[in-house]
Amino acid sequence: MTIKCKKCNSEAIIFQKYSGMHLCKKHFVEDVERKIKLTIRKSYSIRKNDVIAVALSGGKDSSAALYIMHKILGERPDIELVAISVDEGIDGYRPQSLEAAKELTEQLGVRHIIKSFKEEHGTTMDEIALQEREKGACSYCGVLRKNILNRVALDIGATKLVTGHNLDDEAQTILLNHFRGDMERMVRLAPPAAVEGLVLRAKPLRNIPEKEVALYALVNDLPVDFSECPYVGEAMRKEIREMLNDFEAKHPGTRHSLLRGFDKLVGALAKELPPAKIEKCRICGETCTEDVCQACKLLGRA
Ligand code: SF4
């Protein structure tokens, strides 16, 4: 028996447990895009002459983010979209996702900049992974990638830097910060204020569940690489992900509630925990909150 869409008579392709709705392809796409437009309007107002950089890995989230930004803004002559990809140097993984990223930017006609850890930081994730380290591979990768993305975004005069974080990522990070008691990091999750030297981050997919982002990429036939990084780790995030998925299955809407609660709370939290003083790294000159930035510390330059 085919199940019908809640909004028309077509065959449903998804059941949103949290909303109780079955949706067909057309109404699913409409639903996702409406929510993304709302998030952008509420948190990241688009201005005339914005240069919007999109961090593009070639995976489903960032590819969907670039596609939807192009769909919404691609026709506006006053807005420029630029995709930035970072090659971390992960053999057997990153080359194919970079190919997918190139294919998508070519399809959309979006300028595409690719930078690598090797040329920017003099090392690769494969080399870092072989070293004796205090922290997990993802800690290095995240810091070094953010450093490159921000630097390139500044170089091209970007006014916003879009990332593909979805609802699952956001809900996991909120819980993770709670479990670690890291309220300073929690405040940094909120839609940020402008800080000189740091390009404003925007997460237009933050209200869309991960599975829906994947389905959105599939129904729009986006060239996407679905493989998983060999260093994927952060044991605690994995546990939280499993716990949250289990809880969501039993109590649909949990992820949305976590994000809604966080959005209500963050203003008050920010008053209690004012942003850290912004400084310039004495080694590389990057904007940071200490004497030496995280990237220089991790690379042993300090
Ligand atoms: Fe980098 Fe970790 Fe992501 Fe792999 S899983 S690309 S190491 S952050």
Side-chain angles (χ1 to χ4, degrees):
M1 189 187 78
T2 53
I3 298 176
K4 301 276 188 222
C5 171
K6 167 103 177 164
K7 301 192 176 188
C8 70
N9 241 351
S10 307
E11 187 178 344
I13 61 163
I14 184 172
F15 176 54
Q16 290 176 334
K17 242 181 162 184
Y18 59 87
S19 72
M21 285 198 298
H22 287 96
L23 295 173
C24 66
K25 180 176 164 184
K26 173 176 175 276
H27 286 110
F28 164 69
V29 168
E30 270 181 23
D31 185 65
V32 168
E33 293 180 353
R34 179 183 56 78
K35 287 172 183 163
I36 291 175
K37 284 180 191 163
L38 195 65
T39 302
I40 294 174
R41 215 174 308 135
K42 240 175 84 186
S43 305
Y44 315 110
S45 56
I46 305 291
R47 297 177 203 285
K48 205 170 185 294
N49 301 326
D50 260 346
V51 176
I52 301 178
V54 180
L56 179 67
S57 69
K60 65 183 189 322
D61 301 301
S62 60
S63 300
L66 176 65
Y67 178 81
I68 181 92
M69 294 307 285
H70 182 263
K71 192 165 180 180
I72 298 171
L73 302 167
E75 296 294 315
R76 278 186 57 171
D78 59 325
I79 305 271
E80 189 188 355
L81 270 183
V82 182
I84 307 173
S85 298
V86 177
D87 179 357
E88 301 93 343
I90 303 174
D91 212 22
Y93 167 65
R94 190 50 85 210
Q96 59 261 36
S97 62
L98 283 176
E99 278 311 308
K102 279 183 207 160
E103 200 181 325
L104 181 62
T105 50
E106 274 164 24
Q107 269 181 22
L108 301 176
V110 169
R111 181 179 161 205
H112 188 200
I113 299 171
I114 304 177
K115 295 282 174 183
S116 71
F117 275 21
K118 193 71 184 174
E119 57 183 342
E120 300 296 312
H121 294 305
T123 188
T124 66
M125 269 317 294
D126 285 337
E127 287 166 1
I128 291 171
L130 289 174
Q131 292 164 10
E132 248 185 63
R133 293 170 275 117
E134 276 177 29
K135 300 184 180 197
C138 295
S139 302
Y140 288 77
C141 189
V143 167
L144 300 182
R145 186 183 329 104
K146 273 186 206 155
N147 174 286
I148 295 176
L149 287 171
N150 190 61
R151 203 157 358 125
V152 176
L154 281 174
D155 282 351
I156 60 169
T159 45
K160 290 181 181 65
L161 175 59
V162 167
T163 63
H165 291 92
N166 59 49
L167 176 64
D168 295 52
D169 298 325
E170 292 290 89
Q172 287 160 19
T173 306
I174 290 166
L175 265 193
L176 198 60
N177 289 336
H178 266 302
F179 285 3
R180 289 177 171 156
D182 195 342
M183 294 301 117
E184 284 81 6
R185 205 175 274 259
M186 188 81 103
V187 174
R188 277 190 251 145
L189 253 190
V195 174
E196 203 198 320
L198 290 177
V199 180
L200 267 182
R201 296 288 173 105
K203 298 186 248 187
L205 310 186
R206 72 193 290 268
N207 285 294
I208 312 296
E210 183 174 9
K211 280 191 184 143
E212 292 189 30
V213 176
L215 184 58
Y216 182 84
L218 273 175
V219 299
N220 284 294
D221 210 11
L222 305 187
V224 164
D225 177 48
F226 281 96
S227 56
E228 195 168 69
C229 172
Y231 305 126
V232 69
E234 221 188 324
M236 199 161 165
R237 180 178 285 269
K238 242 189 211 169
E239 282 176 46
I240 286 183
R241 181 191 178 136
E242 281 163 18
M243 187 182 77
L244 207 47
N245 286 348
D246 192 40
F247 218 78
E248 179 73 32
K250 290 183 195 143
H251 310 283
T254 298
R255 292 164 305 188
H256 288 88
S257 305
L258 264 171
L259 189 60
R260 211 170 39 244
F262 166 77
D263 283 348
K264 283 184 192 156
L265 199 69
V266 76
L269 255 184
K271 278 186 200 143
E272 286 298 311
L273 298 165
K277 209 169 134 246
I278 298 297
E279 310 199 20
K280 293 274 177 213
C281 171
R282 70 174 156 79
I283 295 168
C284 70
E286 279 300 298
T287 301
C288 60
T289 54
E290 289 171 65
D291 182 34
V292 176
C293 73
Q294 283 298 318
C296 284
K297 277 188 196 164
L298 286 176
L299 292 170
R301 293 180 187 142

